[in-house]
Amino acid sequence: MARSKAVSGFPEWLPEGRMVERQVLDALRRVFELHSYVEIETRAVEPLGDLLRKGETSKEVYVLGRLQDEGASFSDDTLALHFDLTVPLARYVLGNAGRLDFPFKRCQIQKVWRGERPQQGRFREFTQADVDVIGRDTLPFTYEVEVAAVMAEALRALPIGQVRLSVNNRKVCEAFYRGLGLTDVESVLRWIDKLAKIGPVLVGEGLESSGLTPAQSRACLELASLNADDDGITALVSGLASRLGVGSALLETGLSELGELMLSLAEDAPGVARADLSVARGLDYYTGSVYETTLIGAPELGSICSGGRYDNLVSSGKQVFPGVGLSIGVTRLVSHMLGSVGVSRSVPACVWIAVVDEEHRSESRTVARALRARGIPCDVSPNAAKYGKQIAAADRRGIPFVWFPGEDGEADQVKDIRSGEQVEASSESWSPPDGDLVPGLVGV
Amino acid sequence: MARSKAVSGFPEWLPEGRMVERQVLDALRRVFELHSYVEIETRAVEPLGDLLRKGETSKEVYVLGRLQDEGASFSDDTLALHFDLTVPLARYVLGNAGRLDFPFKRCQIQKVWRGERPQQGRFREFTQADVDVIGRDTLPFTYEVEVAAVMAEALRALPIGQVRLSVNNRKVCEAFYRGLGLTDVESVLRWIDKLAKIGPVLVGEGLESSGLTPAQSRACLELASLNADDDGITALVSGLASRLGVGSALLETGLSELGELMLSLAEDAPGVARADLSVARGLDYYTGSVYETTLIGAPELGSICSGGRYDNLVSSGKQVFPGVGLSIGVTRLVSHMLGSVGVSRSVPACVWIAVVDEEHRSESRTVARALRARGIPCDVSPNAAKYGKQIAAADRRGIPFVWFPGEDGEADQVKDIRSGEQVEASSESWSPPDGDLVPGLVGV
């Protein structure tokens, strides 16, 4: 086949980039599993009707057709690629409710697709890493702490510098807005969600244009301006609320949850969480804690890990399955990391086994078998070129060791290319230093 | 959202099934990396034109459209889901040739999609695990041995019983057919490929219907009937060829390669390979060794791992990139395995940490942090029910240990639910037996 061009919005990494991504995915999965999240995968497609019921996203859906369907129109049963892992999770839980243990703690690391016009930093195909906990009938608040702690721990396992996990509680916002006499809570949240982008002046104008009085608009902005690094946030919000004569049982519940979240996260992930009343999150199905995560060194990247509590997303009619979860945008994160992180070598092999001549290739393959049987990744030279050339081939790939099978009964030798040191060695006993066994992440 | 029905041909596993699949994928990747295959992923889509150029498969392609494209017609640039990982590899190698080291050894484990009508054992979405080696200009024969040895080792790492790797060489078949005076080699191969399905009588009739004389047809069937468990295959084929007066340099090369493949595989994967001249493989781009793999205990499953050498698939016009590779159909294999293999527990946790009462949940979370910091997966009870109920919750998930935080300064205790044995323990030093740390595969 002939060379074909890149497809905008569908990123692909060179092998070194994929090795970085692989280490990220492995590190995330390891943390998820330490917390006993069970991994599932769901099919890449959902019926279009199920996806569209979520609204707003309709323009972003990729619909599937077969060649013979050219020119066909779409129906609810038409298959389309999933655009997140939450809709599929809801469907999976409902379909398998009788066979799952609740609370059902699952992680899911898969590609998702969005048919939007590609722009800087936006991908049409990307990998998400999600954790969610789904309860049957009820879901204890403790999981609103747990999922945040898991993600904080997972992100801290990556070489991405400090992260900030900003948290808020929908109950606080809703109770506050209702206390001000507002009824269209979602509309207010949508404007508050724009704060970081367009600033308080334009948000205030927007709120007024949607029917708020200047005083109401100011109060909403004042609430959004509150933040704290500990559970002192509850006193700040209470103070503002009582000053404005706003108060309700819902507000108390929300504040108590927000305070507990901050206290617990101080134990589980010290120095990471900030309570921030401007965190609104676009999605309207959140009903409790909401989360956003930024890299301290790269705020321009936006939120790399977001989510929240949702009480009504998953329901069979008879039964309700409240949930809470967060999602990491892995592709965007890796794309950012590749600016400063690489791998110590471009292939898995730790040892490059030289070939004396083609008649003795079998000896080199025997060495390789012995090393692999002891878990040491290695590769055999494709040719029997002069040793200088074989060493150069290993060096080009960043492989640290070259192995020379002994000729005529002599002992084998292994050379550390970096130091030049060469010693006698047996494939039955020699091991590389621990740090050299597999490729590691390095600064670039 | 409401419950929605399964989509035929798009399999999904319950958590336990996914854990089996995960262990399969991890085992495969580990073997691939021990042999220094670097993992890549390619985008899920290719331009339709590139996919159709492969012919035959056109009916199986899923085309992507956006909602606003309803009723649109397709062009070469229309995106479609890849149906294998070989076409994407060819495109990836050509697009990145200047940035890759050759021979380029890559493994790739990804979903592929085929828009065919689903039937028993056929999936429309499934995972493939491929290894390929691509050379620039040339590719030494040794890789035709290596990829087969890697796959034999990978499959033997799985609890699937004995596998048989059947090998053949296209050069032998082509030289033999040409020596009989036949020119349409591909047509003969397509008939021979049907042998296992329809038997020699119908294949013979088919060959004659496509223009072969009865003698030519008999000769082709006779060749296909030859097989051997060692390099004795070369003498068998040579004998038949000289009896029929067939001989050429190409036949000699092919037989020498086939013999060397059998000799080398006897070293790398003793008892696995069989030379079998009936192995034809449907795809017409193979030019050297071809491979098929069956489970001895489940021949009805068909080939679970197939591939071959291809000299002309990847070409930039100026430059050619010969390759060789094999592909495991992971989903079909896992689907089969799930009939006899399960996991020892339904969640990653090795320890279930009981909660005395909600006021002391923090103590349980502290135990969890300490265990996880030492790599022990664990989970904290969602409630502070009576201990009997908490133990039952752990037992239901197959978790082997329950941890009871000490009250009022007493020492913690840990109970092995299976034996009932309960001992004092410290979360700073206690460890489970090695075999209990992570879920293992078990017979069901």
Side-chain angles (χ1 to χ4, degrees), chain A residues 113-254:
Chain A
W113 294 267
R114 298 190 183 171
E116 57 194 336
R117 299 239 165 255
Q119 340 158 8
Q120 178 67 23
R122 292 263 178 186
F123 295 115
R124 301 198 285 185
E125 174 180 58
F126 57 97
T127 299
Q128 279 191 195
D130 285 23
V131 298
D132 285 83
V133 184
I134 308 283
R136 183 158 52 193
D137 302 322
T138 60
L139 181 72
F141 172 76
T142 185
Y143 290 106
E144 295 178 51
V145 176
E146 182 180 292
V147 289
V150 169
M151 282 309 204
E153 189 177 329
L155 290 170
R156 287 199 299 181
L158 307 178
I160 52 175
Q162 261 199 295
V163 299
R164 168 171 296 147
L165 176 68
S166 300
V167 304
N168 192 4
N169 191 298
R170 274 284 168 90
K171 291 175 184 146
V172 174
C173 297
E174 179 175 347
F176 188 90
Y177 302 154
R178 291 198 188 282
L180 294 173
L182 305 173
T183 49
D184 190 351
V185 172
E186 282 163 26
S187 157
V188 179
L189 283 171
R190 271 197 296 275
W191 280 109
I192 295 297
D193 197 33
K194 298 185 208 285
L195 258 177
K197 253 190 202 154
I198 65 175
V201 175
L202 289 178
V203 168
E205 288 175 13
L207 286 169
E208 291 181 39
S209 77
S210 67
L212 275 64
T213 66
Q216 288 171 326
S217 166
R218 267 199 311 277
C220 292
L221 285 170
E222 205 169 350
L223 179 70
S225 73
L226 300 179
N227 61 72
D229 288 337
D230 55 30
D231 65 327
I233 191 67
T234 57
L236 291 178
V237 177
S238 292
L240 173 65
S242 63
R243 183 154 59 78
L244 296 172
V246 167
S248 68
L250 186 64
L251 185 66
E252 292 311 309
T253 307

Side-chain angles (χ1 to χ4, degrees), chain A residues 66 74 115 268 365 369, chain B residues 66 70 74 115 268 365 369:
Chain A
R66 298 198 293 164
F74 304 143
D268 281 334
R365 291 171 57 236
R369 271 199 304 278
Chain B
R66 297 197 294 165
E70 182 158 15
F74 305 143
D268 282 333
R365 292 171 57 238
R369 269 199 305 279

